[in-house]
Amino acid sequence: MVSKRLSRLEGHRRKFLAVIDDTPECSRAVHYAGRRAKNSNGGLVLLYVIPEGDFQQWLGVEEIMRAEAREAAEAVMAKSAQTVRETIGLEPEIVIREGSAAEEIKAVIEDDRDIAILVLAAGSAKDGPGPLVSMIAGRAQAFPIPVTVLPDALSNEEIDALC
């Protein structure tokens, strides 16, 4: 069960959540979420989840690996945020977490009660629509808020027309 959303109360605004990962389709999800946020006077939250990994090395090596993963995540997020600023004119919130993508998405939604919509984009690869979209397919309770899934063939211009 998710906490009551606060996005419609005075002093709050509806936020759209987009997940940044290494899939080619994530840029479309960010573009759509950013446009919807801008057009509805809402906010945009960008989430990057550092996968639970092989950080179980010797302590010194583990700390270096974590720091390198964090640095890489910060670089990816800085680039994504800059793209949003330049193309949409919106300042996104940046969240970086470590763990399971699904669990961290749920945790961010629970932590920020203004987040009202999760935006994902389907991929066109032969192995499926992408890891997050595949995860929610057929699972009614994958995430506790509505999920918008963009088709894989939409261009940014078509996304702009929809928003």
Side-chain angles (χ1 to χ4, degrees):
M1 184 76 183
V2 72
S3 298
K4 180 181 174 187
R5 303 288 89 192
L6 302 176
S7 57
R8 294 293 183 195
L9 298 178
E10 187 175 331
H12 294 269
R13 64 185 181 150
R14 179 174 60 168
K15 295 179 184 177
F16 293 79
L17 174 63
V19 179
I20 305 295
D21 58 21
D22 61 356
T23 60
E25 59 269 12
C26 93
S27 64
R28 286 195 327 276
V30 170
H31 188 80
Y32 179 86
R35 285 284 182 215
R36 290 280 293 129
K38 174 100 176 180
N39 292 345
S40 65
N41 203 25
L44 173 62
V45 178
L46 301 178
L47 170 65
Y48 188 100
V49 179
I50 300 169
E52 301 177 291
D54 300 322
F55 297 137
Q56 309 301 327
Q57 308 292 328
W58 297 290
L59 184 58
V61 174
E62 176 183 348
E63 289 174 7
I64 291 169
M65 290 174 71
R66 277 188 200 285
E68 288 174 350
R70 179 76 183 195
E71 251 181 62
E74 288 171 355
V76 168
M77 293 301 272
K79 184 178 178 184
S80 295
Q82 186 61 32
T83 300
V84 168
R85 285 184 209 101
E86 291 173 357
T87 60
I88 300 171
L90 190 67
E91 184 62 41
E93 295 177 39
I94 305 296
V95 178
I96 299 174
R97 299 274 182 110
E98 183 182 320
S100 156
E103 294 306 313
E104 294 306 321
I105 292 168
K106 289 176 186 175
V108 167
I109 292 167
E110 184 62 28
D111 291 346
D112 187 341
R113 294 173 52 197
D114 287 342
I115 295 174
I117 298 174
L118 170 62
V119 179
L120 303 174
S124 57
K126 64 181 177 181
D127 57 343
L132 293 174
V133 174
S134 294
M135 185 180 67
I136 64 167
R139 290 180 55 193
Q141 302 219 343
F143 297 108
I145 59 173
V147 179
T148 298
V149 179
L150 299 174
D152 65 340
L154 291 178
S155 68
N156 282 350
E157 292 76 26
E158 292 168 319
I159 291 170
D160 291 345
L162 290 171
C163 293

